[in-house]
Amino acid sequence: MIVTLIVVCEVGFWVLLAAGLATRYLLKMPRTGLALLLCEPLLEVLLLVVTAIDLKNGADPNWRHGIAALYIGYTVGHGHRTVKWLDGHAAHRFGGAPPPPKPPRYGTARARHEGAIWLGTVTAAAVASGLLLLATWYVGGDGNTDGLRDWILVAWRAAGIHGLIALSYAIWPKKAPANDPGKTLEKTPGRASAVPARHPQDVPDLPVGRAGEDEEQIR
């Protein structure tokens, strides 16, 4: 039953998301669309309540309850970012809004971006651990709660691996390629730099020469 409910919640998440975005931008009903998007956390509440009832009725804690806790934690840690990303693209595609900014790809900015995503994973692990500890307390000492505690280690192991990946972007920052458009513009000979010159003698002479040629043509 728990596994079935997890699948239903996952499908319901995407159905509500698609319905909310379509209502906001295709049907031009932003308030109704927002209400549909706000209904998504109710799916996690439903899953949490059913999991607690299942344990209360004497079900042995097992991997199904652990997955339910991880799913809820992931939704809390990364669900908002997913909804925001899709909402930005839907607003651009159907609402006439400017395209959403792309995440940074190089250097320190990329490292900060990866660190922010990792914080979402830490939040997911913390929420899942809290739910698993509550389930352990709820079952009490009479039941076998070793399986629930094992899932806490799984959550933090995943957060640790993700943290090492995010840290690698800070230790070995990814550099922009040599043919990057911004760098190409600066290194192209015979073109004025977009950066204002600090001294008058550093101003390129191309505009002056072009003006002289125009005067000769007029004469």
Side-chain angles (χ1 to χ4, degrees), residues 92-116:
H92 168 61
R93 178 61 185 249
F94 304 109
K102 295 182 178 180
R105 300 168 58 188
Y106 310 110
T108 306
R110 175 64 183 271
R112 287 196 297 265
H113 175 73
E114 295 295 333

Side-chain angles (χ1 to χ4, degrees), residues 15-39:
V15 169
L16 282 177
L17 181 59
L21 295 178
T23 304
R24 280 169 66 86
Y25 299 110
L26 295 181
L27 301 181
K28 307 299 182 182
M29 301 171 63
R31 293 184 178 180
T32 305
L34 180 60
L36 290 174
L37 293 177
L38 292 178
C39 288

Side-chain angles (χ1 to χ4, degrees), residues 171-191:
I171 299 177
W172 300 287
K174 188 176 181 181
K175 298 181 180 180
N179 58 351
D180 182 75
K183 290 187 176 182
T184 304
L185 179 61
E186 294 178 2
K187 294 182 179 180
T188 301
R191 295 188 63 176

Side-chain angles (χ1 to χ4, degrees), residues 13-109:
F13 174 85
W14 293 105
V15 169
L16 282 177
L17 181 59
L21 295 178
T23 304
R24 280 169 66 86
Y25 299 110
L26 295 181
L27 301 181
K28 307 299 182 182
M29 301 171 63
R31 293 184 178 180
T32 305
L34 180 60
L36 290 174
L37 293 177
L38 292 178
C39 288
E40 290 182 337
L42 298 178
L43 296 175
E44 280 66 50
V45 174
L46 174 63
L47 178 60
L48 178 61
V49 170
V50 172
T51 303
I53 294 175
D54 190 41
L55 292 173
K56 184 66 174 179
N57 291 335
D60 292 331
N62 51 35
W63 61 272
R64 295 188 293 270
H65 303 96
I67 289 181
L70 292 182
Y71 174 79
I72 295 173
Y74 179 85
T75 305
V76 174
H78 294 286
H80 174 73
R81 181 179 292 105
T82 302
V83 173
K84 183 178 179 181
W85 182 81
L86 290 174
D87 183 70
H89 283 275
H92 168 61
R93 178 61 185 249
F94 304 109
K102 295 182 178 180
R105 300 168 58 188
Y106 310 110
T108 306

Side-chain angles (χ1 to χ4, degrees), residues 48 51-52 55-56 61 65 69 72 126-141 145 148-149 152:
L48 178 61
T51 303
L55 292 173
K56 184 66 174 179
H65 303 96
I72 295 173
V127 171
S129 299
L131 293 176
L132 291 169
L133 289 175
L134 285 175
T136 302
W137 170 81
Y138 189 69
V139 173
T145 58
L148 296 179
R149 297 181 186 276
I152 296 178

